[in-house]
Amino acid sequence: MSPRKPSTKDLTKEMIINEAHKQFITKDFQQISMRSIAKELGCSHGAIYYHFKNKAEIFYAILSDYFSELNNILDENMNGPDDPNTKLLNVFVGYMAFGLNNQSQYELMFIMRDSEIDGLSQEAANFSYEKFSQAVQSLSKTELLISDIQSTFIALHGFVAHYRHYVKNYEEAKEAVDVHAKFLITALTFRK
Amino acid sequence: MSPRKPSTKDLTKEMIINEAHKQFITKDFQQISMRSIAKELGCSHGAIYYHFKNKAEIFYAILSDYFSELNNILDENMNGPDDPNTKLLNVFVGYMAFGLNNQSQYELMFIMRDSEIDGLSQEAANFSYEKFSQAVQSLSKTELLISDIQSTFIALHGFVAHYRHYVKNYEEAKEAVDVHAKFLITALTFRK
DNA sequence: CTCCTTGTTGACCGGTGGTTAATAATGAGT
DNA sequence: ACTCATTATTAACCACCGGTCAACAAGGAG
């Protein structure tokens, strides 16, 4: 039934993803081309289309790892020893730090959600938001409005979307991140 | 000195801008091509490069009008009869409404600020922020931190950047806009 | 009737994402 | 061994893109 061993395969999905991922560290989605991946892999760009139906599909696969990482950051903080107030701050800072340290990825995960990067990524983004939402509520002393939690989430995205134009990584925006996080905590705390 | 009357010109900067602007209502920067503009204008796309040095320059010209419009919205509100609290709310709502009603333009004005749309637009964006900043401070009873005003500005951008994926215009997000604006007012009000 | 300038064209360049016929390579069944 | 179906790959091709540029049209000035 399988007339050709998988072991003989020279080009694998994994290799393609690895190469795309490698380039994704220094370049964004638009700057990476099927040809640049193929060139580095020593194959024709047509070959890639045998393994992935299009460019977007390659990046879905990569993004899912990043969504996991972001979710892990949140989990580790929630399971940590800090008090609720510190944890809440850390959740906000964690999101912004992740966004600033993975700018190209963050753009595709939450900002660029357009026709090209559709369904699958959308779902992961919603799941990530759900985790965030529950975490924030559980750390709060009072019952929060879901609309306020969403406003907070949006404001975090806004920060990353803005600062990524001015800053290379989290380190360079540390203070601003802290200020923004505390700003949002104030809003959540005093909302009635 | 001028061997050819301007009146004889068939293709003018204005015509090009008008056509680009027309397409800009329904398409975004990336979807509009020099060729699509030329085609609609009945000329070759090479001709456009006689009047504009590149695609970005055409859109600078268009954006400057939108920056003016946004600044006018703010001015009209500030010069209006409302009390400071209402005005502050209207400033926030005004920004978000403008962003949601002019999504492609807003993206270029504040979100996409990348290599292609550089200097000139950046300057206009900074000026717009300055006006916003002064307006917010003048409407506040207490002395605000500039970092908090910036957090507010960023949170407004975040709202537009997020909701433009889900909504066609301001009308469709009216309630969420209102909630977000009040959320930000809370933060500004209770910050010490 | 030149000459110079303003505009305009269309071919061209290097690049993109995506498709597809031909083909190489391989293992299974006989 | 030989066929056969399947998998994987190539390279040519498509229709686009932004941008450049030599050639050329058209008109006014001298």
Side-chain angles (χ1 to χ4, degrees):
Chain A
M1 277 300 157
S2 61
R4 195 172 172 177
K5 274 186 193 167
S7 62
T8 320
K9 280 180 189 171
D10 342 30
L11 189 62
T12 61
K13 282 201 177 201
E14 206 191 350
M15 286 168 62
I16 296 168
I17 288 178
N18 284 345
E19 177 56 35
H21 194 171
K22 205 177 99 192
Q23 297 192 21
F24 207 18
I25 310 282
T26 55
K27 291 189 275 187
D28 64 35
F29 177 73
Q30 314 233 33
Q31 289 171 324
I32 301 171
S33 69
M34 299 302 259
R35 281 169 174 82
S36 74
I37 296 171
K39 190 176 180 180
E40 213 67 26
L41 249 33
C43 68
S44 69
H45 76 280
I48 299 177
Y49 284 93
Y50 179 81
H51 300 275
F52 294 94
K53 80 172 207 285
N54 55 33
K55 185 181 169 182
E57 204 181 66
I58 300 174
F59 287 82
Y60 292 156
I62 298 175
L63 285 195
S64 66
D65 285 345
Y66 281 93
F67 275 113
S68 298
E69 190 186 327
L70 180 57
N71 293 336
N72 282 344
I73 290 172
L74 195 142
D75 283 337
E76 281 171 23
N77 175 48
M78 292 302 285
N79 296 331
D82 298 321
D83 64 290
N85 285 342
T86 307
K87 278 183 179 176
L88 191 58
L89 185 76
N90 285 344
V91 169
F92 294 169
V93 171
Y95 255 80
M96 290 186 272
F98 175 86
L100 293 176
N101 285 335
N102 306 278
Q103 300 190 0
S104 299
Q105 293 77 16
Y106 194 87
E107 185 185 16
L108 236 54
M109 291 166 75
F110 293 111
I111 300 173
M112 210 175 106
R113 169 146 55 281
D114 266 345
S115 55
E116 27 205 15
I117 299 293
D118 44 344
L120 307 180
S121 173
Q122 177 74 273
E123 218 176 292
N126 288 343
F127 180 75
S128 195
Y129 168 69
E130 273 308 314
K131 285 193 67 108
F132 172 85
S133 182
Q134 284 166 22
V136 171
Q137 178 57 75
S138 77
L139 293 173
S140 178
K141 292 175 211 91
T142 61
E143 178 85 15
L144 299 173
L145 292 169
I146 53 165
S147 58
D148 283 349
I149 297 178
Q150 192 170 5
S151 281
T152 308
F153 198 60
I154 285 171
L156 291 177
H157 289 322
F159 186 91
V160 177
H162 180 80
Y163 265 91
R164 75 194 172 99
H165 296 304
Y166 302 99
V167 130
K168 284 206 321 294
N169 51 48
Y170 164 60
E171 202 60 36
E172 292 182 13
K174 224 176 185 339
E175 291 84 4
V177 166
D178 202 60
V179 166
H180 198 59
K182 284 173 178 158
F183 177 83
L184 295 175
I185 288 175
T186 301
L188 280 180
T189 307
F190 290 93
R191 205 77 203 292
K192 56 161 184 319
Chain B
M1 277 301 157
S2 62
R4 195 173 172 177
K5 273 186 194 167
S7 62
T8 319
K9 280 179 188 170
D10 344 29
L11 190 62
T12 62
K13 282 201 176 199
E14 207 191 349
M15 286 167 61
I16 296 167
I17 288 179
N18 283 346
E19 178 55 34
H21 194 172
K22 204 178 100 190
Q23 298 192 20
F24 207 19
I25 310 281
T26 55
K27 292 189 274 186
D28 65 35
F29 178 73
Q30 313 232 35
Q31 291 171 323
I32 301 171
S33 69
M34 297 303 258
R35 282 170 172 83
S36 74
I37 296 172
K39 190 176 181 181
E40 213 65 28
L41 250 32
C43 68
S44 69
H45 77 280
I48 299 178
Y49 285 92
Y50 180 81
H51 300 276
F52 294 93
K53 80 172 207 284
N54 55 33
K55 185 182 170 183
E57 205 181 66
I58 300 175
F59 286 83
Y60 292 156
I62 298 175
L63 285 196
S64 67
D65 285 345
Y66 280 94
F67 276 113
S68 298
E69 190 184 327
L70 180 57
N71 293 336
N72 282 343
I73 290 171
L74 196 142
D75 283 336
E76 281 170 23
N77 176 47
M78 293 302 284
N79 295 330
D82 299 321
D83 64 291
N85 284 342
T86 308
K87 279 184 179 176
L88 191 58
L89 185 76
N90 285 343
V91 169
F92 295 169
V93 171
Y95 256 80
M96 290 186 272
F98 175 86
L100 293 177
N101 286 334
N102 306 277
Q103 301 190 0
S104 300
Q105 293 77 17
Y106 194 87
E107 185 185 15
L108 235 54
M109 290 167 76
F110 292 111
I111 300 173
M112 210 174 107
R113 166 148 55 281
D114 264 346
S115 55
E116 25 205 15
I117 298 293
D118 43 347
L120 306 179
S121 172
Q122 177 74 272
E123 218 176 290
N126 288 343
F127 180 75
S128 195
Y129 169 68
E130 273 308 314
K131 284 193 67 109
F132 172 86
S133 182
Q134 283 166 23
V136 171
Q137 178 57 75
S138 78
L139 293 174
S140 177
K141 293 175 209 91
T142 62
E143 178 84 17
L144 299 173
L145 292 169
I146 53 164
S147 58
D148 283 348
I149 298 178
Q150 193 171 4
S151 280
T152 309
F153 199 60
I154 285 171
L156 290 176
H157 289 321
F159 185 92
V160 177
H162 180 80
Y163 267 90
R164 75 195 172 98
H165 297 303
Y166 303 98
V167 129
K168 284 207 322 295
N169 51 48
Y170 164 60
E171 203 60 36
E172 293 183 11
K174 224 176 184 342
E175 291 83 6
V177 166
D178 202 59
V179 167
H180 198 59
K182 283 172 178 159
F183 176 83
L184 295 175
I185 287 175
T186 302
L188 280 180
T189 307
F190 291 94
R191 206 76 202 292
K192 57 162 181 320

